[in-house]
Each structure stands twice: as C-alpha cells, then as structure tokens.
Amino acid sequence: MVQLAAFIQVPSMDSITTLRALSDIIAEAVTTVERAYKNADLNPPCLDEPLDPHSPAEALSRDPVVVDAVQNLVAAAAQISAATRDPAVSILGAANAFHISSCVQAATQLNVPEILRDAGPQGMSVKDIAAKNHVDPKLLARILRLLATHHIFREVSTDVFANNRISSTLDKGKSVEFLLANPDQRFPETTGLAALVEFITDEGFKAAGYMTETMLDPTGPRTGHMRAFRIDNNMFQWFEKPENKNRLTRFGVAMKGTATEEPAETIFRGFKWQDLPAGSIVVDVGGGLGASSLSIARRYPNLKVVNEDRPPVMEQSKAHWLEFFPEHLKAGMVEFQPHNFFEPQPVKNATVFLLRHILHDYADANATIILTHLRTAALSSTKLVIIEKIVQTACSGESTHPHVKNIPILGVPRKPAPSPLLANFGLAGTPPYYDDLNMNNLPGGEERTLEGFYDVLLQSGWKLVEVYNCLQTDSNHIIAEPIL
Ligand SMILES: C[S@@+](CC[C@H](N)C(=O)[O-])C[C@H]1O[C@@H](n2cnc3c(N)ncnc32)[C@H](O)[C@@H]1O
C-alpha cells in the first residue's frame, strides 16, 4: 500500500499555488500592457500582420514598462506550459526543435518573406511561391506549415501563406526579382537580422549537430564547425577562402545585425564616451565593419578611431565607412589597420581598447593571449571596454567568488524575477545561452559569467573595475584598467 501511494499523482497544494502564481503573473502582465496601450490610445501590434517598425504601436512595445511586463508574461507562459504539459510531449518537442531552425533556414534562403510581402494580407499559394524558386511545392507547404504552427507565417487557407509580424522581420527590403537574380547581393545594405538568422540556421545549425561528438572526442577536431565542414582551420580562416566570399559577406552583415537586437542607443548607455578628451584614440579591436566605433564617432566626432581586423574585413570596413560616415574618413579621423590580435598590438597610445563580441569567440587560453597583447601596449591610463553578455545562473543565490561581490554594477538595475519564475526569467532570458553554445560550436569560445571575466582579465594583467547594465539588452559594458 505504501509503495502504491507513491505512484498516485495528487497535485500538492504547492503545485496548485505555483500554477496560480504563474497565471497571476500572466494576468497582471496583460493588464499592464493593456493599460500602456490604452493610455496611448493604441492597440498592441497584431501577430497576424507584418511588422511596421515605424508604427507608434511598435515604438511602445520597446517602452521599459511594456518590455518588463512582456518579459514576465513570456517567462510565466513558458513555465506554466512546462509545468502542465505531458512531459514526454515536452521532451519530444525539445528534441524536434531543430526542425524549426531548418525550416526557418529554408524560408529565408528561398526569400519567402519578400515573396509574401508582395502578396499582401491575402497571401500566396505555395505553388506560386515554390515556382519562383523551382522547388517542390509540397515540401515547401510542409515547411511553412510547421513554421505557421510556431506563429512564424500564417496559413490563411489551405496551402496559402501570408507574412505575419514574426516572419516579416526576415524581409530584407529588396525586390524579389533582385534577390533571385543576385544571390551574392542579398544582404548588403540590410539591417542584418536576416543575415544573422541565415548564419545561425546554416553554419550554427550544422556545427551544433557535432557538439556532443566534439565533447566526447577531445583529441579530434576542436569545434563542431570544423567537423561539420570537414576543415582543419578555424571559422574565421575558413571564411577567407574564395569559395566562402558570400558567407563572409553574410557574416559581416550578420554582425551588424547583432546591433538590431539591442536599442540603437545601447553603445552610449554604458561607458561614458562623452567624458573622453578631444583627440582620444578609440581602437576597435576586431571591429568588423566598425559599426560600433562608427556610431561612437558620429556622436563624438572629436574622437579618433582605429578600426582593426583581418585584411579582407578591412576592405569591407573602409567601404562601410565611406558609405555611412565619409566625413570622418576625409577628416583623417579614422584609420583601417589590418591586424591579427594574436600578435603584438601596434597602437601604443590608445585611450580605449574596445572589444565588442570578441572574447566570447575564444576559450580562456586564447582570450588571455589577446588581452595580454593589449595590456602590453596599454598606457597606465588606457581603459579596456568589453561589450558582451554576462551569463547568469538559472538559480538564485550569491556568488562565492572572493572579488566579484565588490564590483560596482552601474547603469540600469536588473529587476529580480518574481517567484516562482526562474531567477534568469527562463524562456524570456534565453539569448545569452544560445549565444554561448553558438560560440562553443562555431569558433570554440564561450559567453562568460562575471566571475569568468574577472579571472581571465586578472590572468592577463587587467583589473575588472565596473560593469554597466544597459537598458533593454543583455549586453553589458565591462570596464577594466591595467594592473600597474
Ligand atoms: C563576432 S565579430 C565582432 C565584430 C565587431 N566587433 C562587432 O561588434 O560587430 C568578430 C570579429 O573578429 C575578427 N577576427 C577574427 N579573428 C581575428 C584575428 N585573429 N585578428 C583580428 N580580428 C579577428 C573577425 O573578422 C570579426 O570581424
């Protein structure tokens, strides 16, 4: 009898209390969103309609009050689903989640969002979409239906699909005729979000397929990417091969796309660029196109910029600055310095070394080499500004690291998650964890905890002095100074 009782599922008071608390969080969040939109005499954006990035309703969706409410809503809705759904169905859903990536890849590579933009709200028959790409309409219908089931596209009537708010984010804003006739020109001059999605669902997706194999075979190829593409050099060297020219272009635009995940003002919400004296030298180490330093220089044109990256990227960067900020070039205030950051740093009088999305490409041994070269070239007054996400744990509790507790965390205080949500807001807080594994599988790097940053900086002669939390983004500005 005692043994039998163990198998009888009687929901405890705790489980019910948890469900009630989650549903209260959802109800309260909906009320907050409703009130914000009523006060502005607007309706929230409609999922069934394409995104209009310039509409007042979309602008209000970025209001901190609405963002916070939606964060609670997403976290609670995911947790209540996890708590109530058949766990076998949940785990099978997780196991099959790669189909979503694969179908998003198909839809974007076939330019379906642009084809459906032209079709308007009544949508287009999958036969006509498939005909433009010379692919099997039956398979395309199955792909788009799986996506519509996940609220990406809308199945208007049987086999007729239209864009919705989510699918339309992939619209590259170019004509279908142009995209089909110029496959190598699909991404330049776009926001970069579609390029980022294609990079993740192509290189990222393939590399992830080899993550476990790589973990179990530490003496073999170092990354999932090397295994997937059967290469023995790293992703960045692979990008430089002539046959990967389009991939390199896509990656460059995709990195610009990472900025679309965060509000345009983010770069100004942490480190106080305005306090730098005129003529200060900002070195954008591994700057890519130099999109971040370009934003900084545009706002503070008395700052000099040295953009550093691998030689082929420098060509692209120069073209980017010529297009978007030619004045700084003409004024001789920006230099393009081909440089390998595993070799000694050539700029010896930097005011700031800016490292945005660089250290996470490398595990600690290589990150230490990069940081040590910067430390050797630094003046005693040089600041290191690292822009990266700081990974939180899924549980609550104080750090046991001896030093990080005393580091000032400035900027926007991070709100604690209301009980019973996970401390990191669960599904609403996933981006850093996705990035972490992309870093592992592609270049062999990692997103770091605050403790991880402190330790790798210390090993390289830098002291982590403060952290800025930026508004509405997971990105942090991590400031370090030379240890003298
Ligand atoms: C993740 S991207 C970040 C780009 C830019 N900082 C940004 O925030 O958009 C990494 C950059 O590091 C560059 N990179 C990779 N290996 C490098 C090396 N050994 N020396 C210099 N740059 C390198 C890549 O070309 C790429 O532009």
Side-chain angles (χ1 to χ4, degrees):
M1 280 302 280
V2 172
Q3 269 178 336
L4 246 186
F7 291 99
I8 298 172
Q9 289 282 313
V10 181
S12 69
M13 264 313 282
D14 270 351
S15 313
I16 289 294
T17 310
T18 301
L19 292 186
R20 280 275 164 235
L22 290 169
S23 85
D24 288 349
I25 290 173
I26 294 171
E28 196 184 318
V30 171
T31 304
T32 304
V33 171
E34 184 182 26
R35 195 180 310 123
Y37 277 88
K38 259 197 181 144
N39 288 346
D41 208 10
L42 292 167
N43 276 319
C46 175
L47 176 58
D48 282 349
E49 285 167 14
L51 174 89
D52 172 3
H54 306 297
S55 75
E58 287 294 347
L60 189 52
S61 75
R62 294 185 287 275
D63 180 275
V65 171
V66 176
V67 169
D68 280 355
V70 169
Q71 185 182 39
N72 282 353
L73 209 161
V74 170
Q79 195 166 327
I80 209 166
S81 302
T84 53
R85 204 177 189 197
D86 179 339
V89 176
S90 291
I91 201 68
L92 282 170
N96 276 304
F98 66 92
H99 287 300
I100 305 174
S101 300
S102 136
C103 291
V104 167
Q105 180 190 19
T108 170
Q109 285 202 6
L110 298 178
N111 303 304
V112 175
E114 291 83 0
I115 294 171
L116 292 181
R117 176 228 297 147
D118 293 350
Q122 74 276 14
M124 186 185 270
S125 142
V126 80
K127 272 198 190 125
D128 296 334
I129 309 172
K132 289 191 188 283
N133 285 288
H134 314 290
V135 295
D136 173 15
K138 214 170 150 203
L139 178 57
L140 186 57
R142 289 150 68 195
I143 289 169
L144 294 181
R145 188 162 298 125
L146 178 99
L147 292 176
T149 306
H150 288 87
H151 309 287
I152 304 167
F153 299 105
R154 189 164 60 93
E155 188 164 10
V156 182
S157 56
T158 306
D159 288 341
V160 175
F161 291 87
N163 269 334
N164 72 355
R165 184 170 178 239
I166 299 179
S167 66
S168 64
T169 60
L170 295 173
D171 185 345
K172 294 178 282 297
K174 303 189 182 195
S175 75
V176 174
E177 293 66 33
F178 179 87
L179 291 169
L180 294 174
N182 301 281
D184 56 333
Q185 290 299 314
R186 294 170 66 240
F187 296 112
E189 292 112 45
T190 65
T191 63
L193 181 63
L196 182 61
V197 166
E198 263 191 42
F199 165 66
I200 292 171
T201 58
D202 183 359
E203 283 99 319
F205 176 53
K206 288 176 177 130
Y210 288 87
M211 182 181 74
T212 308
E213 255 176 74
T214 310
M215 185 166 53
L216 292 173
D217 174 24
T219 56
R222 214 171 32 80
T223 64
H225 182 267
M226 289 161 91
R227 287 173 196 256
F229 290 93
R230 297 189 178 7
I231 51 174
D232 53 14
N233 46 19
N234 76 24
M235 183 179 75
F236 295 110
Q237 292 159 334
W238 175 77
F239 272 141
E240 279 172 20
K241 292 188 167 179
E243 66 269 27
N244 290 331
K245 190 167 173 277
N246 286 350
R247 282 195 148 113
L248 177 63
T249 304
R250 181 170 75 183
F251 180 74
V253 182
M255 287 307 102
K256 200 177 87 179
T258 60
T260 65
E261 289 172 8
E262 53 195 35
E265 286 290 296
T266 299
I267 191 79
F268 306 112
R269 289 274 162 78
F271 183 72
K272 296 195 167 29
W273 304 101
Q274 66 272 26
D275 291 351
L276 296 178
S280 293
I281 298 172
V282 177
V283 184
D284 197 349
V285 183
L289 296 180
S292 300
S293 44
L294 191 149
S295 300
I296 297 165
R298 204 196 277 284
R299 174 82 52 103
Y300 305 111
N302 56 10
L303 300 179
K304 285 187 181 158
V305 169
V306 181
N307 194 28
E308 293 182 344
D309 209 295
R310 297 167 305 114
V313 181
M314 279 298 87
E315 291 307 310
Q316 296 174 354
S317 172
K318 200 167 183 177
H320 183 76
W321 279 72
L322 259 177
E323 185 177 351
F324 293 102
F325 198 18
E327 301 85 337
H328 220 54
L329 242 100
K330 281 188 200 115
M333 293 291 276
V334 51
E335 277 177 41
F336 301 91
Q337 168 93 62
H339 171 59
N340 175 358
F341 47 48
F342 288 107
E343 289 176 3
Q345 169 58 234
V347 181
K348 311 284 187 202
N349 57 346
T351 315
V352 172
F353 286 125
L354 169 65
L355 282 169
R356 182 178 181 271
H357 297 177
I358 299 297
L359 294 181
H360 69 174
D361 287 337
Y362 302 98
D364 284 353
N366 279 334
T368 304
I369 297 174
I370 297 171
L371 290 168
T372 305
H373 282 308
L374 297 179
R375 174 63 192 89
T376 307
L379 303 170
S380 59
S381 56
T382 302
K383 303 270 189 210
L384 185 63
V385 179
I386 298 167
I387 303 186
E388 285 202 4
K389 294 170 182 170
I390 296 178
V391 174
Q392 313 292 333
T393 56
C395 62
S396 51
E398 285 259 304
S399 171
T400 53
H401 190 282
H403 301 295
V404 301
K405 272 187 269 180
N406 304 324
I407 293 171
I409 310 285
L410 308 169
V412 185
R414 293 266 188 264
K415 287 209 172 112
S419 174
L421 299 183
L422 294 179
N424 62 359
F425 287 90
L427 198 82
T430 48
Y433 308 97
Y434 290 139
D435 289 353
D436 183 34
L437 292 178
N438 280 330
M439 292 309 137
N440 180 69
N441 300 332
L442 291 160
E446 59 181 290
E447 301 290 349
R448 291 178 168 80
T449 57
L450 189 56
E451 292 81 352
F453 277 111
Y454 190 94
D455 291 342
V456 78
L457 283 164
L458 187 66
Q459 274 167 35
S460 321
W462 294 94
K463 183 168 168 49
L464 199 168
V465 290
E466 58 196 23
V467 172
Y468 288 87
N469 285 339
C470 302
L471 187 72
Q472 289 177 22
T473 162
D474 299 316
S475 262
N476 298 85
H477 290 193
I478 299 155
I479 318 298
E481 292 170 356
I483 298 173
L484 301 175

